[in-house]
Amino acid sequence: MTKSNEVLIFDTTLRDGEQSPGATMTHNEKLEIAELLDEMGVDIIEAGFPIASEGDFQAVSEIAKLSKSATICGLSRANYKDIDRCWEAVKHAKSPRIHTFIGTSPLHRAIPNLTMDEMAERIHDTVTHARNLCDNVQWSPMDATRTEWDYLCRVVEIAIKAGATTINIPDTVGYTAPVESADLIRRLIANVPGAEDVIFATHCHNDLGMATANSLAAVEGGARQIECTINGLGERAGNTALEEVVMALKVRHDIMPYTTRIDTRKIMNISRRVATVSGFAVQFNKAIVGKNAFAHESGIHQDGMLKNRETFEVMKPEDVGLAGTSLPLGKHSGRAALRAKLAELGFDLADNQLNDIFVRFKDLADRKKEVFDDDLMALVYQNDSAEDRLKLKSLRVVCGTQGPQTADMVMEIDGADVETSATGDGPVDATFNAVKALFPHRARLQLYQVSAVTEGTDAQATVSVRMEEDGRIATGQSADTDTVVASAKAYINALNRLLVRREQSAPGYDVKGVSYKDT
Ligand code: KIV
Ligand code: ZN
């Protein structure tokens, strides 16, 4: 199984990624991301944690039904109820997979209070149960990198004998280092009976900033499945970033002769889409997908680039789907030019979508001299959705040195227009107070952040907000040339997401509230 040089890419943006505090995605957004992952050549999509909530279950089922080439996987703890629910969701896929896990390290064994023998028996029973439902079963010993070596070998052998087809070795707390990561997989393959009949996978978290290096090292050790997320989204410091491992394997094929099926030209598009729907903006200096990843500031670098781009670039921007330099559009540009530019940026839009974006493009071009690629991306990725219960209809703000600042606002709430006038300590505060007056809520603002999409005083501002209500967190984003309008839309966007989260969370089964203790 580990002889081939093909490495499977297992994307868990919709499961582990969505576990990042605040990275809630709506049902339709999850379907859209799954479709993009499938199109870019991801081998296995972990679409969610079906027992976690009715919303998760529905999303996994729908993604399974719509899947084209990818295997669709769902997560389940080590109990029959979780596994049955997972199977109910993934069984619609052309290629379904059940992923079941249990924490095997001393710290994790202590939580369900199982002895080593009891846990071994639980692993045997649950993997057998999963395998009776589905031919394709992945098993993970959570916190494998802090599990005693002998016990790890013992439980991996049990899982293989019970029918697991993929053994995933998670570095749950981002504790391992590259040399150790390679060595662990190598030794497991050499020592566990039956190891040659299964695929070994690597799942690394980034707590010490070594996730990508650890995943690549695990491949050197014999792993043939890398688990990762777009933009490295995930719990705490996140997971291995899909774009990093895939590009590293492509660019350094000379020393890492492994291949993936990923169409790397689709990377930038999906990265931006995930940033928007999750509300987690990509840091400017993030490898591959950051805004500065292909930017050259110093004179020496710019001079070198003009003479030969290889002086300071190890890959071409086009390889990851960044269009080369191209002229901005303006208010005289027509529908055909817009369509061509969007196609160049990787968007193949239906006529009705193009019409909608064309109207917004014209509106933006009236306010802004030149509309750059990033402006267009921001337009395409506007978060407004037909499912939203709250919508901003109009906003007029009075601000300046003579207070109080006032916001006159009209919102549509569940289909009905409502309006108010509110004051505040500054235009943004007045605007947020108007939203609170029209839609009273207990959610607290945790973060408010403004950044410019492009340069110049007429640049669009992207505003991100993070809100918290009863332990649930949601983020919202919006872009507009008017910073206060962008702020209002971002705030309303976060509220809409909180409402989705409220509906999704059946008591006891909220994904953020699922306790591993229930295993
Ligand atoms: O990090 C981890 O251990 C996980 C498991 C559920 C595979 O995400
Ligand atoms: Zn994880």
Side-chain angles (χ1 to χ4, degrees), residues 34-341:
E35 194 181 347
L36 293 175
L37 291 168
D38 206 343
E39 273 169 11
M40 89 187 291
V42 162
D43 298 284
I44 305 112
I45 299 173
E46 188 162 52
F49 195 172
I51 195 87
S53 71
E54 181 56 29
D56 250 51
F57 178 82
Q58 293 301 343
V60 178
S61 310
E62 197 77 15
I63 289 169
K65 284 177 198 155
L66 297 172
S67 58
K68 295 188 187 101
S69 331
T71 293
I72 304 300
C73 173
L75 184 68
S76 49
R77 292 166 298 182
N79 66 60
Y80 293 175
K81 195 169 156 204
D82 269 43
I83 292 170
D84 290 346
R85 189 81 174 140
C86 178
W87 173 241
E88 281 308 306
V90 296
K91 71 178 183 192
H92 308 285
K94 290 191 193 82
S95 167
R97 173 181 293 189
I98 295 175
H99 178 191
T100 180
F101 76 99
I102 194 162
T104 51
S105 66
L107 283 166
H108 285 272
R109 287 199 304 269
I111 296 176
N113 197 17
L114 294 177
T115 64
M116 284 180 159
D117 287 345
E118 285 165 348
M119 183 165 284
E121 195 181 331
R122 172 81 70 97
I123 293 163
H124 171 268
D125 293 350
T126 49
V127 175
T128 305
H129 183 70
R131 188 55 207 266
N132 284 338
L133 297 169
C134 182
D135 285 347
N136 190 338
V137 173
Q138 170 165 330
W139 180 74
S140 298
M142 187 167 73
D143 207 13
T145 51
R146 294 190 300 170
T147 299
E148 302 91 327
W149 165 249
D150 288 347
Y151 191 57
L152 186 61
C153 288
R154 177 177 166 200
V155 288
V156 167
E157 185 180 347
I158 289 172
I160 295 174
K161 287 215 173 96
T165 43
T166 299
I167 299 291
N168 175 37
I169 302 299
D171 182 30
T172 305
V173 290
Y175 177 70
T176 197
V179 175
E180 193 181 63
S181 176
D183 190 52
L184 181 61
I185 302 283
R186 197 173 287 123
R187 285 194 296 137
L188 282 168
I189 293 174
N191 288 291
V192 175
E196 61 287 358
D197 300 326
V198 299
I199 299 251
F200 274 80
T202 171
H203 176 113
C204 298
H205 281 264
N206 202 30
D207 298 65
L208 293 173
M210 293 193 280
T212 297
N214 288 337
S215 299
L216 293 169
V219 171
E220 290 292 344
R224 287 296 177 270
Q225 175 178 301
I226 298 179
E227 308 211 353
C228 48
T229 59
I230 302 294
N231 300 341
L233 209 62
E235 296 261 22
R236 307 181 310 280
N239 293 61
T240 296
L242 179 147
E243 60 277 8
E244 291 177 7
V245 278
V246 168
M247 288 312 291
L249 290 177
K250 186 170 173 146
V251 173
R252 296 312 312 273
H253 195 74
D254 53 336
I255 54 163
M256 294 182 285
Y258 311 101
T259 52
T260 72
R261 289 200 315 118
I262 300 295
D263 178 352
T264 61
R265 290 162 309 168
K266 301 208 184 276
I267 283 179
M268 201 54 79
N269 184 21
I270 192 164
S271 159
R272 288 179 167 159
R273 193 65 191 129
V274 167
T276 305
V277 301
S278 67
F280 276 59
V282 175
Q283 80 202 45
F284 280 18
N285 58 341
K286 175 99 177 136
I288 322 288
V289 291
K291 210 177 166 104
N292 289 353
F294 295 94
H296 303 275
E297 177 72 21
S298 84
I300 295 174
H301 284 217
Q302 287 179 351
D303 187 49
M305 284 296 293
L306 288 172
K307 294 189 170 114
N308 179 352
R309 62 196 294 173
E310 285 181 27
T311 48
F312 290 104
E313 272 179 6
V314 296
M315 62 202 138
K316 296 201 245 7
E318 295 84 347
D319 292 344
V320 297
L322 257 185
T325 47
S326 52
L327 295 174
L329 299 182
K331 69 175 176 185
H332 299 299
S333 308
R335 205 176 291 261
L338 178 67
R339 186 191 282 280
K341 169 61 68 130

